[in-house]
Amino acid sequence: MFLGIDLGTSSVKSVLMDTDQCIIGSHSASLSVSRPHDGWSEQNPADWVRAMEDTLDALKDSHAEELAAVRGIGLSGHMHGATLIDDKDQVIRPCMLWNDVRSHEQARRLDTPQFRDIGGNILFPGFTAPKVAWVAENEPANFARIAKVLLPKDYARLWLTGEHVAEMSDAAGTGWLNVGARCWSDPLLQATGLSQAQMPRLVEGCDVSGHLRQALANRFGMRGKVVVAGGAGDNAASACGMGTVAAGDAFLSLGTSGVLFAANDAYQPNAESAVHAFCHALPDTWHQMGVILAATDALNWLAQATQSTPQALSEPLDAHGAEPTDVIFLPYLGGERTPINDADARGVLMGLKHSTDAREMTRAVMQGVAFAFKDCQLALQSAGTSLSRAAAIGGGARSDYWLRIIANTLDIALDVPADGDFGASLGAARLGMIAAENADPLSICTPPAIDHTIEPDGSSASFLAEYERYKATYAALAPLMHQPARQ
């Protein structure tokens, strides 16, 4: 048996997987986020430990025999979080999460050609390095105590193994990694007053990072020596779960946020387009990622505004062909990442008429999200990656109508997997299996069965005409979005 532990922002999920890669048991425990000030987002790492204990206790209650047979554990977690540890492995302050933007000024100052050249990415406020720079400037006593900086899942590893270890995919999102060389960068660390002594040891995601502490093995009834794999950041772990690990493989995640993820066999950065260029969880593999901040979240907003539900808005459309609408929607409800990197951008509905109803606005929202994915596709192309097809995952992928809009806008085929759990927890369990069995990663990280495929229907040109209006709308309104609001 193999165990995958996914430390998400809102919950911890632990799954038991057998040697046939079937999930035989799963439990989740919820987490909350503290927002003491505007733009702050924090969690107490002790809550991660409590949630992991809860899920493992539940698995022991429901699957004691299977849990006893675990030979490998893999970890996944939300990226970028700054977990600061002192020389006694005690947490110094609450972890600043990926969506904490208090360090925007530090990010602006550190986003230099040196950081982009070595790190391969724009240094976003969400990355780890600017957060630690904020601590140095605003909490100098806390900064002086830092013995190690750990990412969230790597704090979970510290609890499991007693080891300070990170892996490449997650480390790439700190801002301190030489992403091409897959090692910590002395110049980037020095720019934030740190050294390699304060960084965890680096391994690949499928390597053994340590072994489960005997006290925990005894508590949860695990017999034998249990290895803990390097694991992966959440998107790379999801890619392992989806089998998106070889050059040319891609997935489109239509979740709360949106991700267009492509695996690469070479390092292909293009920071200027706000494409994320990170290490993958497997050796000698990288990935590129375009990120939009509101995907299904945009439909959630419309449902709330119209006192409806996303399902009630979207289901009546599934029986209809996908045609463009001239109502333009900018899905920038809380800023945007790829390609505009504009935290001040805001949502817009443009072209409303007397006849515009909830159905038309639903089509506009879905189309606007598709156009944001088109931005990501073009950004990936500018970084040397062209896609002919992608797997479609996430809650929004249950709407064939939405997928038809996206397929026509991107002019690619979208493969919809058969029902199953292909998320980060499965990817983590797969990495645990590879580490424990010394298995070939490509033989383990295989794609799921495909239920059906959405093909472009020849209407791409008509969607692209509206896409040009979409881009022009943002260009025209961006100066107004950047003006300070009147009090």
Side-chain angles (χ1 to χ4, degrees), residues 131-316:
K131 294 187 179 80
V132 176
W134 183 92
V135 173
E137 294 175 24
N138 294 274
E139 300 174 355
N142 285 337
F143 181 80
R145 293 176 57 200
I146 296 174
K148 294 289 182 186
V149 181
L150 299 180
L151 293 156
K153 81 169 192 321
D154 300 327
Y155 182 80
R157 184 196 324 278
L158 176 64
W159 175 68
L160 289 167
T161 69
E163 301 279 349
H164 305 106
V165 183
E167 53 71 44
M168 304 299 175
S169 71
D170 220 355
T174 62
W176 293 311
L177 194 76
N178 183 325
V179 177
R182 303 173 87 94
C183 63
W184 296 120
S185 166
D186 286 324
L188 302 187
L189 286 166
Q190 290 165 6
T192 52
L194 298 173
S195 70
Q196 290 207 34
Q198 292 160 300
M199 294 295 106
R201 173 170 59 91
L202 286 169
V203 299
E204 296 289 349
C206 55
D207 287 346
V208 175
S209 69
H211 294 84
L212 183 66
R213 292 189 291 122
Q214 191 60 50
L216 291 180
N218 293 341
R219 171 176 173 177
F220 299 114
M222 298 184 200
R223 300 187 297 267
K225 199 171 187 179
V226 181
V227 306
V228 177
D234 49 7
N235 283 301
S238 293
C240 291
M242 283 294 301
T244 308
V245 294
D249 293 343
F251 71 77
L252 184 149
S253 176
L254 194 55
T256 303
S257 58
V259 173
L260 187 59
F261 182 109
N264 311 107
D265 57 8
Y267 174 49
Q268 298 174 246
N270 186 15
E272 289 70 24
S273 66
V275 167
H276 294 322
F278 291 160
C279 302
H280 209 325
L282 305 183
D284 301 318
T285 310
W286 288 259
H287 69 81
Q288 296 166 313
M289 195 165 59
V291 178
I292 63 177
L293 296 181
T296 60
D297 216 24
L299 190 61
N300 293 341
W301 162 80
L302 181 64
Q304 184 177 20
T306 57
Q307 298 184 332
S308 183
T309 67
Q311 187 176 17
L313 291 174
S314 62
E315 278 191 350

Side-chain angles (χ1 to χ4, degrees), residues 319-338:
H320 298 273
E323 296 180 351
T325 171
D326 60 1
V327 177
I328 297 297
F329 175 69
L330 304 185
Y332 309 147
L333 301 175
E336 189 56 294
R337 283 273 186 95
T338 309

Side-chain angles (χ1 to χ4, degrees), residues 44-115:
N44 184 348
D47 292 336
W48 305 336
V49 172
R50 173 197 53 76
M52 285 189 289
E53 289 175 326
D54 288 349
T55 62
L56 295 177
D57 283 336
L59 284 174
K60 184 180 179 182
D61 289 342
S62 62
H63 295 82
E65 184 177 345
E66 292 85 355
L67 192 64
V70 165
R71 294 293 172 264
I73 299 173
L75 298 170
S76 166
H78 49 82
M79 297 177 65
H80 312 305
T83 314
L84 310 181
I85 306 298
D86 69 13
D87 58 4
K88 294 181 175 60
D89 285 343
Q90 297 301 303
V91 175
I92 295 171
R93 67 171 324 283
C95 175
M96 293 176 280
L97 301 182
W98 60 275
N99 54 352
D100 187 305
V101 295
R102 77 184 76 178
S103 61
H104 58 91
E105 280 300 319
Q106 289 77 17
R108 182 186 58 79
R109 293 199 304 267
L110 291 170
D111 187 28
T112 61
Q114 181 184 50
F115 267 87

